[in-house]
Amino acid sequence: MPDIHASASDLKRSDLARLTGCNLETIRYYEGIGLMPDPPRTASGHRRYGTAHVERLSFVMRARDLGFTMEEIRGLLSLVDRGSHTCAEVERMGRHHLDVVRAKIRGLHAIETVLAGTIARCTGADTPDCPLLDVLNDGQRKPAPIERASE
């Protein structure tokens, strides 16, 4: 495995992928949408990545792991790239994201409550009556037929 502290232009894209655990296509995607800077190229046109690329990609991946959207990551990177960010700016973005995460958790708890209660009413019997299907059909006994256009 290459040393991430080797010279700033020693890594191929495959090395960067291996070091970070990121898929090659994902690296290409991040480059394409501007989250990753274009790496310098050798005289023969091969890309060479350095420690800064490893750190940037690791930042993006960790932010994705924490559920930040691409636009939120772009905003965070913009603050970092500007070089004059304050903790207060970053905290505002983090607090907003935390609010979004908490709202999603509340929504998932509501889903869990409905599913758990509905499944608890299932009998498991060999009958077409099923509380889960009833809930999915909004109380209807059978799904409405899907009309297909005549050919």
Side-chain angles (χ1 to χ4, degrees):
M1 181 177 285
D3 175 13
I4 67 167
H5 299 292
S7 121
S9 58
D10 280 356
L11 304 173
K12 296 181 286 187
R13 187 182 282 154
S14 59
D15 297 329
L16 180 63
R18 204 171 13 265
L19 278 170
T20 60
C22 187
N23 184 291
L24 283 169
E25 290 301 317
T26 303
I27 295 171
R28 283 189 193 101
Y29 173 71
Y30 290 160
E31 289 172 346
I33 64 171
L35 289 181
M36 289 289 295
D38 289 331
R41 293 180 182 253
T42 63
S44 59
H46 297 290
R47 291 172 178 83
R48 290 295 182 234
Y49 298 86
T51 305
H53 292 97
V54 173
E55 291 169 355
R56 178 104 168 185
L57 182 55
S58 296
F59 179 100
V60 171
M61 292 175 61
R62 182 67 179 138
R64 292 295 294 149
D65 288 346
L66 292 173
F68 283 93
T69 65
M70 293 298 187
E71 213 43 53
E72 289 169 329
I73 295 169
R74 189 180 310 282
L76 289 166
L77 288 170
S78 174
L79 290 175
V80 170
D81 291 345
R82 192 177 74 204
S84 60
H85 61 278
T86 66
C87 187
E89 291 173 300
V90 177
E91 180 187 19
R92 270 192 298 280
M93 293 178 79
R95 285 193 181 281
H96 171 73
H97 182 65
L98 180 59
D99 290 343
V100 169
V101 167
R102 286 178 172 157
K104 287 179 183 178
I105 290 170
R106 284 190 300 276
L108 288 171
H109 281 302
I111 291 169
E112 177 187 29
T113 299
V114 170
L115 281 173
T118 303
I119 291 169
R121 293 192 338 255
C122 287
T123 64
D126 288 336
T127 174
D129 296 327
C130 179
L132 182 55
L133 291 178
D134 291 344
V135 166
L136 295 175
N137 286 315
D138 196 25
Q140 299 174 13
R141 293 304 289 151
K142 295 181 182 171
I146 299 172
E147 294 184 28
R148 301 197 188 269
S150 310
E151 293 183 30

